Amino acid sequence: MALGLTYATSQTLVRMRLAAFRHALKDQSRVSWIGTGALLGLVLAGGTIWVAATGDQDLLLVALAVWMLGWVVGPLFAGGGDETLKPEYFSMLPLTPRTLSAGLLSAALAGVAPVISLLALLSLVVLGAQLSVPVALVALPVVVLQLLCFVLASRLAVAVYGVLLQVRSGAVLAAVVNAFILAFSAQGWALIAAFVSTDVQGTMASAARFAPSGWGLVAVDAAGGGDWLRVLLAVAGLAVLAVVMFAAWSTLLVRRTTASRTGRKPRRLLTGSGPRDAAAAKEVRSWTRDLLYAHRAVFAVCYGLFFCLMPLAVGWDGMLPWAGPAALVMAGSMSANLYGSDGTALWTTLMTPGSAGPDVRARQRAFLLVFGPVTVLITVLLTWWSGSSSSWPLVLSVLPALLGGAAGLVVATSVFAAVPTTDAHKRSGNPLNSGENEGETMGIVWVMLILVSLTAGPALVAALAWSWWGVPVGVASGVLAWWYLGRVAADRLEQRGPELLTLLRHGRSTTEQAKKTAALAEFPRWRRNLANFCLGFGAIPLFPQAVVPAVFKLTGNNDTKSWFLALHLDSRWRWPVITLMATLGLTMYAYGALTYLNAKKASRPDG
């Protein structure tokens, strides 16, 4: 009877998941993102199968490890992954934790990502077919178990992460781990080069063979050699791991759906001598008491540190002075939806006459208080540690420009381009999931990475041309950006506050969504997919292939080449390639942004 109930529950939840997916296909914007992601996944899956066809087991082990890492890490950067069916929806039903977990797991398998991962894992069958037909047959159940472990590892990672974000120490720890993983994806080459002298691929393959992602390949390889005991151990290991992860996930789901969340008595009441001081005190408390705010702040600072400290593993200290600016760029990007995070609480501000200006300035002051002292301290200490006297005028010019620019952009962006999210008091047991607009939120984060970086342009150019004269230019540009963008945001909030509150409370109207969908539908599918591709990958030619090599050239660093294409070429070709890459990156961003901007204009009532 229990088995029948589990089967019926799983069948029902799978149908619900597929129905939700069909509904999502009516939104042309989401279809474009899904199509772009699916296309990229198919390319990667095809590459994995091609690696298996060549018989290179070491490279295949590394590829499978990357797939599993993507399943574990990906949801942490995408709002907790796809939670169309939240466990809270079914907490009142008479279902045991195991039954509900089995149903949710079945629903999780009914998606685009599992299908693409299944195609990638068919590389094990391709590898087995090269050995013999029986080995290929052995690979079939191994593929199923390996996929099950991928999905369970993803769900368990999100559940553990959600538990950590419920307490302050856990939120800090999760931010540190998250920052390290993201920084490693960009600067991990330094750590690999430091600990691996010659055979990088072989060493990584040896480590991947012991990881769960490699157990399936170990089973196939052992079957080809006739070592059936090893096959049995590898398959049993995957099965036991799946059972353990399923049990742990079920336990965390019970905690998520039954744990009570009561408020705490404040240790100290808010005080203020006037509206501006009271608003500022409220905003500072938000950064210290809201665990998601605290998580983002720690993440931004740690990312800047990790990103610039990792090259020390190969003896290169040229990135040290830029840890503070890197942290500020990330902080501005992560804070781009301040008013969207408020949700319906915005009504308390709107109901107070004349509160728009003080509220905007309070958010700017809180941002400066949270990130200003720590980034200045990091910049001064690490620049002194690097011993690079030529870096002082550069970083001291860029830092105030970024501080003011970020403090101005976070309020202006959050007023003009707010994204509706789940109210703080309605957050689910997965704090990573903040609503149905995660794709739009991530798009704003990517755009803010560019905008915040550009605010340092005048100061950097002045410092490169006139050395210490760049400092007053940086201070002036930072103050101007802080004042002007804050004023623009306050005026907008004063004039269009009710519309913003309506957006945050109800989301975009059905009419607006329909007009936006119709506007996007007028564009060819290839253009929508190309726009998504440009927005997702425009950072690759712009930053690592243009900005970073340009900084190296301007600061006289000719030793570090890494994966920067321009630095591997003859000196006469370096600046043309840097310029070409910068143009390519900016063009990709401009094309993607203009595509959606035109659709947004067409969706307006007067469009």
Side-chain angles (χ1 to χ4, degrees), residues 538-596:
I540 294 179
L542 181 60
F543 286 105
Q545 301 300 335
V547 175
V548 176
V551 172
F552 287 170
K553 290 284 293 178
L554 294 172
T555 56
N557 182 5
N558 299 314
D559 299 327
T560 304
K561 296 185 178 358
S562 182
W563 65 302
F564 309 124
L565 175 62
L567 301 183
H568 287 275
L569 302 177
D570 188 77
S571 58
R572 60 177 177 171
W573 294 107
R574 291 182 178 179
W575 278 113
V577 170
I578 290 173
T579 304
L580 178 63
M581 287 297 179
T583 304
L584 176 61
L586 291 173
T587 302
M588 290 174 68
Y589 274 119
Y591 179 83
L594 287 175
T595 299
Y596 281 93

Side-chain angles (χ1 to χ4, degrees), residues 361 364 404 408 478-488:
R361 293 304 183 191
Q364 291 182 296
V479 171
L480 178 62
W482 170 84
W483 173 78
Y484 179 73
L485 293 174
R487 179 180 176 181
V488 169

